[in-house]
Amino acid sequence: MKTAVAIRHMAFEDLGSFASVLDRRGWALRYLEAGVDRLDDIDPVEPDLLVVLGGPIGAYEEASYPFIRDELRILERRLQADRPTLGICLGAQMMARALGARVYPGPCKEIGWTPLCLSPEGQVSPPAHLDGALTSMLHWHGDTFDLPHGATRLASTDLYPNQAFSWGRSALALQCHPEVRADRLEHWLIGHAAELAAAGISIPDLRAESARLAPTLEQQGRRFFDAWLTTIDTRP
């Protein structure tokens, strides 16, 4: 049985719709809770898949959150070994930093629904299933990163040019949130209430937009993740 390990920073920012894809394929999924579980005890290259999930902290805040150092060490070793690795939001920023790129606060918060603009490379890779012509993507971040050396940009938005990149044969980073489940988004509105208020975002408006767009994204997200797993399954 293949194994997937997901590093989680907040209980409700989990694998979402991706978990059902792993289950259907017969993968065993294990969560590690950042700041609680000992990340330095795991073998960085052993799991068949490592996913680093999102969270409301900066990839550069290791002085306040020392476990970031452990995550970066795990990612550095795993990426060097070219093992399948997926980063979502904070996880994508961690991957960029582990690859030597700069991570820093962006010009503004990008929270809400905005279509992705796929690069030519993105249009012929698994993120093509996240095509903004079909639906909008959920974004929930304020930081950004420079494109790592050797990485391929796959998607952008008007506010943030680096939304998704691939690196090597088996690493994929997505600053957006294609994993969200429509029936779990109320947890996001509650858990991120302070951030939404500080950004001046209307919760009723965001709730209504999410109700309209999230079901389609959930379907697209599953197709994307299934396609990406197929690409890493076929590699030696």
Side-chain angles (χ1 to χ4, degrees):
M1 177 180 288
K2 291 196 172 186
T3 59
V5 170
I7 298 177
R8 180 165 53 185
H9 305 91
M10 300 188 75
F12 60 83
E13 291 202 34
D14 57 14
L15 272 174
S17 66
F18 293 178
S20 63
V21 178
L22 290 173
D23 183 64
R24 178 173 54 78
R25 284 173 165 263
W27 288 57
L29 170 61
R30 174 191 176 199
Y31 283 102
L32 292 175
E33 308 298 338
V36 177
D37 295 328
R38 289 186 58 90
L39 301 182
D40 55 352
D41 285 346
I42 71 168
D43 182 343
V45 301
E46 181 180 6
D48 295 296
L49 171 64
L50 176 71
V51 184
V52 182
L53 294 163
I57 60 175
Y60 43 79
E61 292 186 300
E62 64 267 30
S64 298
Y65 302 98
F67 62 80
I68 289 175
R69 298 188 183 95
D70 295 325
E71 291 192 41
L72 290 172
R73 281 194 292 268
I74 290 168
L75 284 168
E76 286 168 359
R77 286 192 56 194
R78 191 163 179 93
L79 292 167
Q80 288 170 2
D82 199 21
R83 295 286 284 152
T85 307
L86 176 66
I88 297 175
C89 198
L90 172 62
Q93 296 158 7
M94 291 275 201
M95 286 176 64
R97 188 174 173 197
L99 290 168
R102 187 171 63 106
V103 181
Y104 50 94
C108 62
K109 291 280 187 180
E110 187 175 43
I111 298 176
W113 294 87
T114 303
L116 287 179
C117 179
L118 298 175
S119 69
E121 294 82 2
Q123 293 170 11
V124 293
S125 64
H129 292 281
L130 306 173
D131 188 352
L134 302 177
T135 191
S136 287
M137 174 60 64
L138 181 65
H139 305 271
W140 210 298
H141 67 99
D143 286 348
T144 190
F145 52 84
D146 294 333
L147 193 68
H149 178 72
T152 300
R153 181 185 289 113
L154 301 178
S156 304
T157 61
D158 289 342
L159 289 176
Y160 285 88
N162 296 324
Q163 289 286 356
F165 69 83
S166 61
W167 188 88
R169 298 190 308 160
S170 306
L172 182 62
L174 300 157
Q175 183 151 254
C176 50
H177 284 282
E179 83 288 3
V180 294
R181 280 177 48 178
D183 62 349
R184 297 286 183 86
L185 273 168
E186 192 68 24
H187 294 174
W188 291 60
L189 301 180
I190 298 168
H192 291 306
E195 183 180 24
L196 292 171
I201 292 173
S202 165
I203 291 176
D205 288 350
L206 181 55
R207 179 184 291 117
E209 195 171 22
S210 298
R212 181 170 59 88
L213 296 171
T216 302
L217 176 59
E218 189 173 331
Q219 295 174 14
Q220 287 182 257
R222 287 195 182 103
R223 289 196 294 269
F224 148 73
F225 190 54
D226 194 48
W228 185 66
L229 288 178
T230 296
T231 68
I232 64 175
D233 273 350
T234 58
R235 288 173 183 162

